[in-house]
Structures are given as C-alpha cells and as structure tokens.
Amino acid sequence: LVGDDAARFVHFGATSQDVVDTAAMLVAKRALALVLADTDGVAAACAELARSYRTTAAAGRTLLQQAVPITFGLRAASWLVLVLDARRSLRGVELAAQLGGAAGTLAPLGEHGPEVLRHYAAALELVEPTLAWHANRSRVAELGGALDLAAGTFAKIALDVALLSQPEVAEVAEGEGGGSSTMPQKRNPVGSTLARACAALARAQAQVLAAGVGQQELERAAGAWHAEWDALSGALAYAGGAAAAVRGVVEGLEVDAERMERNLYETVLAERLAFLLAERHGREAAHELLAKAAASGRPLREALAGELPDEELDEALDPTTYLGSAGAFVDRALTRYEEES
Amino acid sequence: LVGDDAARFVHFGATSQDVVDTAAMLVAKRALALVLADTDGVAAACAELARSYRTTAAAGRTLLQQAVPITFGLRAASWLVLVLDARRSLRGVELAAQLGGAAGTLAPLGEHGPEVLRHYAAALELVEPTLAWHANRSRVAELGGALDLAAGTFAKIALDVALLSQPEVAEVAEGEGGGSSTMPQKRNPVGSTLARACAALARAQAQVLAAGVGQQELERAAGAWHAEWDALSGALAYAGGAAAAVRGVVEGLEVDAERMERNLYETVLAERLAFLLAERHGREAAHELLAKAAASGRPLREALAGELPDEELDEALDPTTYLGSAGAFVDRALTRYEEES
Amino acid sequence: LVGDDAARFVHFGATSQDVVDTAAMLVAKRALALVLADTDGVAAACAELARSYRTTAAAGRTLLQQAVPITFGLRAASWLVLVLDARRSLRGVELAAQLGGAAGTLAPLGEHGPEVLRHYAAALELVEPTLAWHANRSRVAELGGALDLAAGTFAKIALDVALLSQPEVAEVAEGEGGGSSTMPQKRNPVGSTLARACAALARAQAQVLAAGVGQQELERAAGAWHAEWDALSGALAYAGGAAAAVRGVVEGLEVDAERMERNLYETVLAERLAFLLAERHGREAAHELLAKAAASGRPLREALAGELPDEELDEALDPTTYLGSAGAFVDRALTRYEEES
Amino acid sequence: LVGDDAARFVHFGATSQDVVDTAAMLVAKRALALVLADTDGVAAACAELARSYRTTAAAGRTLLQQAVPITFGLRAASWLVLVLDARRSLRGVELAAQLGGAAGTLAPLGEHGPEVLRHYAAALELVEPTLAWHANRSRVAELGGALDLAAGTFAKIALDVALLSQPEVAEVAEGEGGGSSTMPQKRNPVGSTLARACAALARAQAQVLAAGVGQQELERAAGAWHAEWDALSGALAYAGGAAAAVRGVVEGLEVDAERMERNLYETVLAERLAFLLAERHGREAAHELLAKAAASGRPLREALAGELPDEELDEALDPTTYLGSAGAFVDRALTRYEEES
C-alpha cells in the first residue's frame, strides 16, 4: 500500500508494541475529544441550572435525611465543580507516542533514536516521552483513572437525579424519562440509570489498567499489556456513555421549584415554625396550627398570619436567614466555570 | 481546653464532616511528605544506577524471554522515569480544607462564609476549595489514585528485581536479602516481596476511594464517606510501605555486571555468532565451536579468535552495534531527573 | 514453653507458611462463627418481619419509582432469602490445615507426610487438604468471596432501609437512629450507614484475595501471599461489622404500616382509581375528586363512596386483586428458613 | 411469530427483567458448558503431567528462589488440585429461572404464581428459585466469582509456565510458542500470556457483579442491574478464553526433564554436596571439586566418584532422601481427579 520506496521503512526499527500503543493513543485522543465534548455539555447545563436556580430554596439532604435548607442552584453548582474537576483531569492526561524497538534502545536506528522519536511524535501530534514506555504503564493507568473519575462524577449526578425523581420527592424529572406500558404512572430515570451502569463498567476497566502497572515484567510484560487492549477501549467507551447519558439528563432536566419549596416547608421550615409556635402557644397547639396550615394548601406565611408576630414569621421564613453564603458559593463555581471555558 | 472566649467558636458553623475531612487532609499532607521523601530516595538510587551502569550491556527481556541487548543503565533509567511520573502525580495532588456547615451553605456564618473559608484554609496551609466538597469526593479518589500509581510503580521495580534475582539469572541481589535457616543457598528478595504486598493492599484502598465518587447521595453520603476513613489511611500507609521497601531495595542493590554480560553472551550474542560461524563453517561445526568456546570459560572474543575474521568478530561483539540509543535515552532520563529535583 | 521432649518437634518439618496459614484458618474459624451468629440474627429478624407484615400492602419500587403493590412482608422475605444464600456460602467455606514443609513434599517427615497431615488436621479440627496449598490460594479467595457476598447482602438491606427511611417516604426507621444536636428533625440511618461503609471495605479486601490467585509464583509467591495477611483479617472484620450493624438495624426496625398504606394509596392505587373515575366522570372531574378525597384525610374507600359503584371501588382497593402470590412467596421463604435453621 | 393463540401469553405476567435474566442464565448455561469442557481438558492434561513426571526431580522455587527439591509431577498435581477446586465451584453454581412480574408478586397470575414458576423453571431446565431475585444479585455475583477463580487458576498455571520457560530456566516450553521474525532465539509463551490477559479482564467483570450486590435499590435497581449485562458476558468470555488458552498450553507442554535435573544439581544438590565435601576436604577444596565436576559435563555422581565415600555420595544424590512424600501427594491428587471425573 505504501509504495516501493517507503515500504521498506514501514515497521522499520519499531516493534509491534510501538505500533499498537501509538495507535491506541491516537484512538484515545479522538475518543477523549468526544468524551470532553459531552463533559463540556454537562458543565454548561449544570452552570445553567446553577444560574437559573441560584435562589431557589430546597431541602439539603444528608445521610438521605432532610438537613438544612440549601438552594437547588447550590446543588447544581456543586455538580458543576465536580465536572470541572473531572474535565481538568481529562484535559491533563498526556498521550504520548511509543517508539522503542524490541527493548527500548531503538537499535536499528543507530544513534538516531531520539531524533526519529521527536519527529515521529511531532508528526502524530502526540507527546514525546522521555523513554519508551513499553513496561511503564502508569500513563495508561492515569488515563484510565481520569476516565473513571469522570464516569464517577457523572454517576454521582445521576444518583442525585434518581433520588430527587422519586415520586415522594419529585423535585426533578428527566425530560425523557422512560415510560412503562403496564405502569403508566412511572417515569423512570433512564438516563441516570444508564449513566450509573456505564460508570460501574468504566471503573472495572480502569481497575485493569491500574492493576497492570505493577505487573509489567522487565522490558515487556507477558499478559498485563495485552489485558490493556480491551480495558482501554472499554474505559473510553463506557466513560463516554456515562457522559452522553448525563448530558441528556441535565440538559433536559425538569425542575419543580414549587415542589422543592413545599418539601422544604413541610419539613425543615415547619421545624423552625413549630419551635416558635410552641414557645408562644404550647407544643400541642403549635402542632395543630401547623397541621391546619399545611392542610389549607395556602402558603405558610399566609396561613399562619396572626399566630406569630409578623416580624418573627417573616424572619423564620426569610431565606436570607437560613441560606448563608449559598449564593456566593454559586457565583464562585460560575466564575471558575467561565475562567476554565 | 480552648479557653472561655474562644470555646464557643469551636465547631461553630462547622459540621463534623468539616472537621474530619480537614483533619484527614492535614494527616495526608504529613503522610505524603514521608511517602515523597522515600520516593525521592528511590529516584536518587535509580538515577545513580542509571549513571553507574550506563554502558553495562545486559539482555533485554520481553514476555520473560531474552530479546535484544540493552544496558542495565537503561533499565534503571526506565525505573527512574516511572518514579518521576509517580512523583509528579503525588506532588500534583491538591489537599483542600473542608468547611461547609451542615449542607454546604455555611448558614451560621451569614454572608461571611467565603471569607471565613479563605482564612481557615490559609491558616491550615491547605488549598481553598471552590465549594464544600462533602459529597464531591473525586479529590480524595485522585489522592488515592496517585498513591496507587506510586505503589504500582514500586511494585514494578520490585517485580523486576525479584525476576533478576532468580538464581538462574542472578544479575542483581537485594543487599539485605533474607536468609533461610534451613535453606542456606536462598537469598530471598524480601524488600521486593514486601513492596509487592504493600502495593496490592494500597490498590484495594484506592479502589474504595474511586468507587465512592459515584455513590455520594445528595449533600452527604450514607456510607460512602465513612468507608473513606480506613481506606485513606490504608492507602497512605501501604503506599508508604511500598516506597520505603523499594528504597531499601534500590539503595542496597548488588549488581553483577559480569553475570549480565555472561547471560547476554550465552544467549543473545551467541545467536549472532552462531549465524556468522554457520555461514563460514556450516551449522554443525558452528555449534561445536560455540559449545567449546563456552566451556572454555574464556571470553568469547578470545575463545573464537581465528574462527572468524577479526573485524567480523569485533563487530558482532561491539556493543555500539547493538545498543542503539540506549546511552542517549539514559541521559534524557537523568536530565529530566535533574530538572525535576 | 513447650518443654524439653516436645520442643524439638515444634516447627519440625513445617515451614513458616504452614504455621501462618494454619493459624489464619483457626482465626478465620472463630471469626466466621461470630459473623455467622450475627447473620443468624439478621435472618431471624428478617423472618420475623416477613411473618409480621405478610399482608401489609406497600408500594413496590423499581428504578426508584413506585411500581405495583407488594407487601412489606415480601420485601423482608426477599431480604431473608438473600441472607440465607449468603449464610449457605459462608457455611460452605472449607477451612483447611496447611502442612507441606518448604516446598510441599514434607521431606523431613520422610514417607510419613500424609499420615502426619491427617493427624494434624484432625487435631486442629480443620479440613485435610489433598495437597499443601502454599501457592493454591483459591480457597482463601473463596472465603473472601463468601465474606464479600455476605457484606454485600447486608449492604443491600441497609440501602433499602436508608431509602425507606427518607422523610418523604418514612415507611421504616432505625430504632436507634442517630440524632443531630443542630438538626432535631433528623433521624439518621446510622446502622445502615455503618453497614454500607463496612461492605465497601470488605469488598476491597476480598478483591486482594481474588487478585492473588493468579499471582502465585511456583511453590510460594513473592508478595501475593503476604498481601493476604491484612486482607483476610480485614475481610473478616469488615464483614462482621456489616453483619452486626444490620442485625441492629433489622432487630430494632420500626415499621410504619399506616404510612406504607398511605404512600401506596397516594400513588399506585390512586392511579387505578383515577382510571376508573375518568371512565365514569371524565378526566378533569376525576382528578378533582381524587384531590378532594386525599385532602379529606379519610380513607379513600370512604371518601370516594358514591362516586363509583361499590363493587368497582371494592375491587380496586381489594389487596387480593393486586398482590398476586405475595403471601405464597413469603411462605416459601419462611419454609426455607425453617428448613435451614 | 408465536401464533395467534399463544401470542397473547408471551410476556404475560413477566416483566422485561424476567425475560432478560432468564435468557442470561440460559446463555450462561451454554457458555459454562464450554468453559467446563476446557477446564476438563486442563485437568486431564495436568493429571497426565502429574502421572508422567511423578518421579522427575526438579528444583522447588519459593519467592522466586530455589528452595528444596520437588518433582515436576508434584507441581503438576498441585495445578490439578487447583483446577479441580475451580471446577467444583463452576459446577456448583446455581442457574435459576427468573419470574416475578413487575415487583415480584406475579400479580397478573393471581394465586398461580408459584405453580407457573415451577413449570417455567422445569421447562427451561433451570433451578426454581425461592423468590424472584430481581434485586437479589448474589447468585449472579457467585457465578462471576466462580468464573474469576477459574480464570485466576488458569493464570497461576500460566504464570508458572512463563517462569519455567525463561531461557535461563528452560524447564518447559509451550508447544506452540510464538516466534519472532527479528529475534529467532525467542520462543514466547503466547498461550500463557493470553491466559493471563484474559484472567485480568475476567476479574474486572466479576468485580462489577460483586460490587452490584449491595447497590440494588428496593425491588429493582437503577443501574446496578444494567451494568451486569456486559459484565456477565465478559466474565464468561474471558474466563473461557483463559481456559482455552491454558488448555492449549498444558496439552502441548514440552517438558525438559534433563534440564530440570541439571538445574536441580547445579544449585540445590550442589549445596548438599558442598557441605559433605567441605567436611572432608575443607571449604576451598570442596568448591574447586564441585566446579571441576560441573565443568566436566558428566553426571555429578560420576564426576565426584572417589571424593566422597560411595554410600555418602549415593545418599546425597538419592531422590528418596529428599523428596519426602511427593509421590504420595501426587497419587492423592490423581485419586481425587479420578473420583471427580
């Protein structure tokens, strides 16, 4: 294919692993670009959510229990920061050319080894390594690790979405949630489910790569290198799958700000009011008042008017008294996002 | 303990996880310094080996078979580059302060959250994070990953040393190899063995940290965070154990340059000579001549004098004809080592 | 310590690994008994829950969405079956004596090797292996695997409890849920959290054991065996931790059958009724009727009386029409429990 | 496809997971049969090696150092026992039918659930489970674990073969070892290499399955189940790959009994003789005598005749004095092999 003059230099000096490793890095480069594009999409959508819901109060949840109020914007900003961290790792991965010949000396090239390596790496737009890395696989493991962290990042967002989509919580819903022919009320978090499955599989591949680092016998390994082939393509594919799935999830996310407020009022803020009402009316009466207010379907502020001094009521329900620096933290995340984009 | 005035600000605004995470990062900082000190020691010893054995020819081995000649210096340079990569990862890890309060808003501090966070991080000499990272654990996983890669790096060196210490190869020996009371000929590669065991255990801990990233429910996780506690100290301890063990191994490594040459001559170079002798004397005679030369115990050059033209013999045994750019690659590794130290 | 006559036979014929492996199996035997005792406790409590709530209707949840009705007894029966499977695996683990001497021949014992091995195993009440298993570690990996599966089993129950304890679901609560000084409404699922953390750590240890099987060089390994020491004790300890934590959880579990019914009515059964009401009154009116019924706080059967023919209403709300073989399946699990106890 | 009458019962009562899980078990059954066939082949070949080399003395090697003598038959018997253990685990795996409907109650089948399940399982020749196991995945993890252990078993044999094939050891060679066009002396252990790579990949898949057990939310999981799909086929395929590769290795293994004896004499037995000669002639003279004997190329017994009393020499070199119960242990393994076949 190459033609007469050039043909005899094909594979000249290079060992098969030089060719396979370099090809793998070229493939990884293209695949990473796709993963990064979806990661950018996730970041953009999270930034948009952080901006849009910067002041939307919601219940913060720790150990799966309601804790103190946050904003949904802060939660999205927190996703954003995690995605920015993952993107930084992915961008920082060094994809190097491989050229060492049978055992790293590039013997057939005489003393021209380093020069040929330089041109070779430059022509392929890959990093020029210090030495051949036939048995130095931490750079591959690092790529796997970055893909794993990215996939884990997407899985965390997916987990949050799945939890917030539970019908009893119902604060968000996937735009393209899967229906069920036999259970029409269901709206399955299918994108989140897919992302979590992909992340589990990406992690397994990354573990093969990490485990291989210490199992490289001498100049080239008898097995640990060969296990990388499937593992690396798997890690790229599954991390990409997780990225694409979560991108779909966050870009199409339906956010029910009203339900967030209701959930918050029903638990976290009711707690505050119960405390104030009890001080004034006694515990039992306080309980009754709250129950009546809740059943009325009207905003708590309105339904409880008169039961507490206006200023106490205002303060108890004033977001600025319980949201701390949520807004400032959202802004920090957005600033970083803009700086890194 | 703190005293009257300050006492009421202890734990003020901070949640328990703020305290535990920050403490963990302070511990990690100190532990990392120890791991890095031993990593420096390994790098220095590998650099010294690379320098000392820059031109010592040895058999390169791929798939556990002898391949083409390399120098022992190149092998050590290859270890060095792997260690430099690991060190770069360890140095690049970002240890951040944690301060978010119950759900990341720092509500009790009103609008002063970011400012307090800044002072807090500065006072502790930790990185100031964009946001609280209660459920954003990729930074912990990244620390685990760097420790795992470092441990894997040490395990790879340990594997090579164990393989080269086999009595049938006998090119190196651990200076403090373990004896056996009942088998006096044994010289166990005990440091390498320890390093490999530590690396296997460090990897398991790192996997707990990596697996946790995607399992962080909402603002704080119900389990995945708690699993980090043992895993992080384990990862630090075992990676440190691997570093210390391999440092002992490479600092005290006994290198048998003569045996390297002999092994190389007996296989790789004998192959070359067999080919040349067969061309001149026929296959059978060539075989006999080589066997006689080997049995004579004299250098091949001397024992085969007269059987081949002097210039052919010289060329076949001249290292410059088969070591390619080994020396130049050793120098590249040493240059990088000096630049990064 | 042993006394003059016997002293010279201590360690006679045995290599250090014989002693360490045998000791490890004796330790494992005692530790397994503790894990099994807690596993028995978990099984008993699950059986009790299955029995007590055999007919308590609850919403089945798939992909974290409400699906069709089940009984809480069926869910507990499902936990029970998982625990019985785990127990069967734990009980099936074969703990063998180790005795092979330096390389498996028991050379110092002349031809008496097999006979001594038989007495040795019998005296220690351990299984007599076919051969020394110095480098045959699948039996240790199998123990690790059984502990991992048991821990995973406990983690699954813990996950379900944590999910059902969410305040928006509130169908169960841990009896000893952790409070929070600053957030009095919280009732953290602390036992479940602990169990999940332990399971993550047990799994990591089991992975070390599984990974070791293929890395045993010849008669005794240089590292893979040594990594087992910490991993095996860790696997036993963490699996035991998970067992004890979940035992506490299920033994003290507070079950809110009324809330289960309410959750079920509000979603799954409301769906059924909405369908029937819509057929009769049109969609909009149906919706209104249901909302009014829900707001009334009265049982749906009562609140909707007259809006649908009695028999239709009865049928729609009759558990026997939607619980299928739930009861029969609970009985199957209980029967198996009794047979295996 | 099914035809009018039957068509409406397709998928009747069953949920998609019922169909997918049952199909997966049917696939696993067929795939397991293939893995078991190759496992049988490996066992048969190991048994043959154990029988043929029952008395062939060889150096036992621990921590990659020569230890005491064994027989090659004992090493093969040890492989055999490991394979028999793996086969027992594979055979013991329970492949069950899945049928539970949307949430395990088989509601559409009314009270006929258990009966239909019985017929369904019987018709498919799968085990009838106590309950639906939609979210009880330890049975799948157990299958993965058995495949992982089998793959690890094959990897251990492959590692031993690769180590014994090193040119400096040269006690065995793969019959179909891979050549290298540029390095004619190489005989790569390609089957062993392939088996080790497959085992690393099988383990990763098995870890996905094991990790999934604790991550099954309520009646059906949002991700952990979906991750099983690729992981289970991967585990079957890679374990099968390892089995087939090692079968090729052990069936075609070339054993160099003479080289085994030589290696043993050069190190382990020379040690014995050095001790005896030193007692009689002093250390230095002993050393010289041994060197001369080795250089002579004649059997040690012959070359040293006269330097030690005949009976001492005979005893030192008499295998029956240093092989202990090697033969008896080989027979135990073969007996077990026959009993289990």
Side-chain angles (χ1 to χ4, degrees), chain C residues 108-296:
Chain C
L109 305 180
E111 61 191 17
H112 301 296
E115 199 189 341
V116 172
L117 172 58
R118 180 158 49 82
H119 289 301
Y120 175 77
L124 297 168
E125 296 180 47
L126 291 171
V127 168
E128 180 191 347
T130 314
L131 300 181
W133 41 281
H134 292 150
N136 279 6
R137 310 308 289 186
S138 63
R139 55 174 63 245
V140 184
E142 217 152 1
L143 168 55
L147 290 165
D148 182 17
L149 285 196
T153 290
F154 301 128
K156 187 268 187 284
I157 298 175
L159 172 58
D160 284 359
V161 168
L163 288 169
L164 296 173
S165 300
Q166 294 173 101
E168 298 89 348
V169 178
E171 300 187 356
V172 305
E174 287 193 20
E176 299 182 12
S180 162
S181 52
T182 56
M183 297 175 281
Q185 83 281 9
K186 284 201 75 170
R187 184 129 166 225
N188 286 327
V190 290
S192 301
T193 296
L194 177 56
R196 297 179 75 202
C198 284
L201 289 159
R203 189 146 49 79
Q205 315 305 319
Q207 285 176 19
V208 173
L209 301 177
V213 175
Q215 291 167 29
Q216 303 288 328
E217 295 97 359
L218 300 162
E219 276 61 65
R220 280 200 269 146
W225 176 59
H226 310 79
E228 277 184 13
W229 304 349
D230 279 14
L232 181 55
S233 7
L236 289 162
Y238 290 123
V246 162
R247 182 182 190 168
V249 168
V250 287
E251 283 183 351
L253 199 69
E254 295 174 10
V255 178
D256 188 340
E258 204 180 299
R259 178 67 182 251
M260 284 179 188
E261 194 174 45
R262 184 143 47 95
N263 285 342
L264 179 63
Y265 271 51
E266 274 173 10
T267 52
V268 183
L269 295 188
E271 196 78 19
R272 276 189 179 221
L273 292 167
F275 181 78
L276 295 172
L277 288 166
E279 276 192 330
R280 184 161 304 259
H281 304 281
R283 252 190 90 160
E284 220 150 312
H287 195 258
E288 248 170 79
L289 283 167
L290 269 175
K292 228 180 67 186
S296 74

Side-chain angles (χ1 to χ4, degrees), chain A residues 237-305:
Chain A
Y238 290 122
V246 162
R247 181 182 192 169
V249 168
V250 286
E251 283 183 351
L253 199 69
E254 295 174 11
V255 177
D256 188 339
E258 205 180 300
R259 178 67 183 254
M260 285 180 188
E261 195 175 45
R262 186 144 46 95
N263 284 343
L264 178 63
Y265 271 51
E266 274 172 12
T267 51
V268 183
L269 295 187
E271 195 79 19
R272 273 191 182 218
L273 291 168
F275 181 77
L276 296 172
L277 288 166
E279 277 194 330
R280 185 159 305 257
H281 305 282
R283 253 191 87 163
E284 219 150 311
H287 195 257
E288 248 171 78
L289 282 167
L290 269 175
K292 227 180 69 185
S296 73
R298 289 151 60 209
L300 277 181
R301 176 70 188 80
E302 208 180 298
L304 290 175

